[in-house]
Amino acid sequence: MIKLLMTAPCHFGLEKTLAFEIRRAGGEDVQVTDGRVSFSGTPETLVRASLCCSAAERIGVVLARFKAQTFDDVFDNIKRLPLGDFLPADAAFPVVKGQTVNSKLTSIPALQRTIKKALAEAMSLSHKIKLLPESGAVFPVRFFLYKDELTVFLDSSGEGLHKRGYREKAGAAPIKETLAAGIIDIAKVREDDTVIDPFCGSGTLLIEAALKALSIPPCLNRRFAAESWSFIPRELWKEQRDLLSAGIKNDARFMAYGYDTSAEAVKLTLENARKAGVEKYIRAEVREIKDFEYFKDSAKPCKIITNPPYAERMLEKADTERIYREMGERLLPHGENKLYVITSDERFEELFGQKAAKNRKLYNGMLMCRLYVYG
């Protein structure tokens, strides 16, 4: 079976989580850089990583990696690629997106045009044809130019891996599924845990916690661009889905509880839990933070994992400060309970009323946040 070089971007701060998931999926030669994990493996590794990696934004098959300070560098290196090893003669290969950071070449559109032109030249040379119909399977191409090193890769995922299939609708300012999964991993959620989110929104943290606790691969029920690629045996997808489905822990003692001031959010949480197949393990109801109480049964410790409102507009500032103070009054853990709060508000500890035992820098998109841990 062929050996592939692959790359997987992730949220800044989740590289360690993703590297562990990739090794578990069979990835070799794992290398971690800021916001990205590179690794090698077989097509089976790609399939398993696509289905199982909860923190990856997408999985790419690297076509080339080289120094590129001019557009001639880009064109000359790409046109020599043996693309016939991966792409059939009728393949469609749109250059869908790219990034450039701290590099001499800064124009994304110009890079897209140059890469597309060079890929077409490489395809013509590989297949010894001049006319490229691009009427067959789609092989989306992406690129990442960092400090003048260009990585060009096939996007095996298509839609981003945060698209699990359960969240067609979301509440205001939802947390991304991949970031939620990373937080759940940091909190070490297990199959016999009880998880609570007092600001549940559309239920993303609760659902990702349930998927982790029950060993349900997050992308088990979605589709991928690479399922139509000829160099990845089609039967691998069914084999891995069947194998992973057999490992789901349907007898787990896990439970999750969500609260929100919005009845619509509670309804959405329950609807999304049903779509994710974890409705048996999730309860939700309308409740304000000032009414929160820990379970009276001390033998049932819980992990509170939450993404409270951020004060991004001046009109919200007073409300957010009140909420954080109420959180300090109601959520401070005792006994074996734990609390995990992600927020971009640098005054959170001051408003909450107590310094966290530790905190970890994470990025919610381009917004720098901290995950505060208590207990």
Side-chain angles (χ1 to χ4, degrees):
M1 196 172 280
I2 62 173
K3 200 74 174 280
L4 305 171
L5 177 61
M6 289 170 274
T7 184
C10 64
H11 284 273
F12 288 105
L14 297 184
E15 296 89 349
K16 184 177 178 182
T17 293
L18 179 55
F20 174 79
E21 291 185 320
I22 283 172
R23 289 190 182 96
R24 193 169 55 186
E28 301 173 348
D29 309 314
V30 176
Q31 297 182 16
V32 176
T33 54
D34 287 347
R36 191 169 297 268
V37 177
S38 298
F39 61 105
S40 62
T42 63
E44 182 177 315
T45 310
L46 183 149
V47 171
R48 195 171 181 89
S50 298
L51 295 167
C52 294
C53 287
S54 65
E57 293 301 309
R58 59 187 67 252
I59 306 291
V61 176
V62 176
L63 294 174
R65 183 174 285 154
F66 53 87
K67 279 288 182 183
Q69 295 184 328
T70 68
F71 287 106
D72 284 342
D73 292 338
V74 176
F75 186 84
D76 292 342
N77 278 281
I78 292 176
K79 78 173 184 180
R80 291 194 292 266
L81 294 175
L83 288 188
D85 294 348
F86 295 103
L87 279 64
D90 66 346
F93 48 98
V95 182
V96 294
K97 202 168 184 181
Q99 290 177 285
T100 174
V101 179
N102 297 335
S103 299
K104 290 183 178 177
L105 300 177
T106 59
S107 172
I108 299 294
L111 280 163
Q112 284 178 302
R113 290 192 297 270
T114 304
I115 291 169
K116 177 67 177 183
K117 186 178 178 181
L119 288 170
E121 182 78 10
M123 285 287 285
S124 293
L125 292 171
S126 291
H127 292 289
K128 296 179 171 56
I129 57 174
K130 290 186 177 180
L131 183 63
L132 300 171
E134 295 200 52
S135 57
V138 179
F139 293 75
V141 178
R142 292 177 178 258
F143 62 89
F144 180 62
L145 182 58
Y146 179 64
K147 292 184 177 178
D148 296 326
E149 182 177 79
L150 180 65
T151 301
V152 181
F153 59 95
L154 299 175
D155 177 8
S156 73
S157 305
E159 284 195 307
L161 294 180
H162 69 281
K163 296 284 185 74
R164 320 291 209 205
Y166 66 75
R167 198 177 78 174
E168 294 177 14
K169 300 177 184 177
I175 190 169
K176 204 171 182 181
E177 293 90 335
T178 42
L179 177 56
I183 293 170
I184 296 304
D185 186 78
I186 293 168
K188 294 182 170 60
V189 171
R190 299 292 183 261
E191 63 182 291
D192 57 350
D193 276 342
T194 298
V195 169
I196 300 175
D197 183 357
F199 302 95
C200 65
S202 54
T204 306
L205 281 162
L206 300 175
I207 292 168
E208 292 297 325
L211 296 178
K212 180 77 73 174
L214 304 172
S215 295
I216 299 175
C219 295
L220 185 65
N221 296 315
R222 57 157 280 169
R223 295 294 167 182
F224 306 86
E227 290 189 64
S228 63
W229 293 0
S230 53
F231 68 89
I232 299 178
R234 190 176 295 271
E235 61 270 17
L236 279 180
W237 295 95
K238 184 179 187 310
E239 287 173 7
Q240 286 300 315
R241 282 190 171 103
D242 289 346
L243 183 64
L244 292 165
S245 294
I248 294 174
K249 300 173 181 176
N250 292 308
D251 57 347
R253 297 171 57 196
F254 173 84
M255 281 301 300
Y257 300 87
Y259 308 119
D260 204 285
T261 57
S262 165
E264 185 60 31
V266 168
K267 179 182 177 183
L268 195 53
T269 290
L270 296 173
E271 181 182 330
N272 289 341
R274 178 185 59 78
K275 289 177 181 175
V278 294
E279 68 271 29
K280 172 183 172 184
Y281 302 91
I282 293 178
R283 305 284 182 269
E285 64 181 63
V286 175
R287 185 183 297 184
E288 294 190 21
I289 190 65
K290 66 182 179 62
D291 298 321
F292 178 86
E293 291 184 348
Y294 278 94
F295 294 117
K296 291 182 171 59
D297 183 0
S298 59
K300 191 179 183 181
C302 65
K303 292 175 178 176
I304 298 179
I305 308 173
T306 193
N307 173 41
Y310 302 169
E312 295 182 9
R313 294 186 292 269
M314 288 301 293
L315 290 176
E316 296 173 342
K317 188 175 180 182
D319 282 342
T320 302
E321 291 180 354
R322 173 185 56 79
I323 288 170
Y324 289 173
R325 289 191 177 97
E326 289 177 348
M327 288 174 65
E329 294 168 4
R330 309 305 298 182
L331 299 185
L332 192 63
H334 52 80
E336 295 182 41
N337 296 306
K338 298 270 189 181
L339 171 63
Y340 301 82
V341 181
I342 182 169
T343 177
S344 64
D345 195 324
E346 292 288 346
R347 295 181 60 209
F348 175 77
E349 289 173 304
E350 175 190 338
L351 295 166
F352 185 79
Q354 185 161 319
K355 190 172 178 62
K358 54 186 175 180
N359 72 75
R360 180 166 174 169
K361 187 185 293 186
L362 295 173
Y363 278 80
N364 189 356
M366 297 303 295
L367 187 64
M368 198 281 280
C369 300
R370 291 187 186 276
L371 181 67
Y372 295 97
V373 182
Y374 293 85

